[in-house]
Structures are given as C-alpha cells and as structure tokens.
Amino acid sequence: MFQPPVMNGCGMGKKKIGYWLKEGKAKRIEITKIEEILARKYDCDLVSMDGERDSLPRVDAMFHKMSDMMFDARQGKRAAIDQLEKFKKYFKAHEGYQCLTHSLT
C-alpha cells in the first residue's frame, strides 16, 4: 500500500507533490487517477514540474522519470542540458525535500 513520504518543506497546509514525466508516460500511468487518490486519501496536491516553465513551483516531494532527458544531455542536446541545469538549480535551492525516482515502465 502506498505510504506518502514524511514531508517538511512547503510550510503549513496541504502538501504538494511535484512530478516530471513526459506527457505520454503521464497518460500511461494514469496520472489523473493518481492525482485524485492523493487528494482524496492523503490531502495532497499533485503538480506538474514541466521543465518548460520559467520558474518551478515549490513542492514537498517530487517524482520523476528523467532517464530520457539524461541520455539526451549526454548526447550533447542543448535543450536537455538546459532543462537538467534548471532542475539542478531548483534542487540546490530547495534542499530538504523528498525526491522519488519514478520506475514504472
């Protein structure tokens, strides 16, 4: 059974869990159903951490599937390198939150 992580980051109130997934992956794992369950059972909001945004929302925890982006960055693709740098800066500026690596296929 899912146990939400203990989170200390965003302050009082409802906790926010960020996710960074490609649109197709989000659809395959039925992210909207996951969002409904988290809201109903755990009083958490699920928010997209879309790498295309200029600024990323503050979250208490995050899960991701960055392997494709990391591969592209290793191949020298500028857009992937820029997105990974943006997330590195975010992680450094917001230490102390939980980061969960998405491992679904």
Side-chain angles (χ1 to χ4, degrees):
M1 175 151 189
F2 174 77
Q3 293 294 324
V6 175
M7 300 178 277
N8 304 328
C10 282
M12 303 298 284
K14 201 177 251 194
K15 298 299 181 183
K16 293 181 184 177
I17 300 174
Y19 69 92
W20 185 24
L21 304 170
K22 288 186 176 182
E23 187 176 338
K25 176 66 78 174
K27 285 180 182 177
R28 280 193 300 282
I29 68 167
E30 300 182 64
I31 199 75
T32 55
K33 287 184 181 179
I34 294 170
E35 184 175 14
E36 291 169 9
I37 291 167
L38 288 172
R40 185 180 68 244
K41 292 181 104 180
Y42 302 104
D43 197 29
C44 293
D45 285 331
L46 191 61
V47 294
S48 173
M49 302 286 287
D50 183 351
E52 298 297 320
R53 294 180 182 189
D54 288 335
S55 63
L56 298 172
R58 179 75 172 110
V59 296
D60 295 290
M62 182 181 149
F63 71 95
H64 61 80
K65 175 79 166 67
M66 292 187 188
S67 57
D68 293 342
M69 188 67 58
M70 294 166 82
F71 177 82
D72 288 347
R74 285 189 198 115
Q75 300 300 312
K77 294 184 179 176
R78 187 80 246 159
I81 293 167
D82 292 345
Q83 283 191 343
L84 286 176
E85 285 301 316
K86 185 186 300 185
F87 274 93
K88 284 180 187 178
K89 287 178 185 175
Y90 179 87
F91 298 150
K92 195 172 206 174
H94 300 98
E95 294 180 17
Y97 72 93
Q98 301 288 324
C99 188
L100 313 169
T101 302
H102 163 64
S103 62
L104 300 176
T105 56

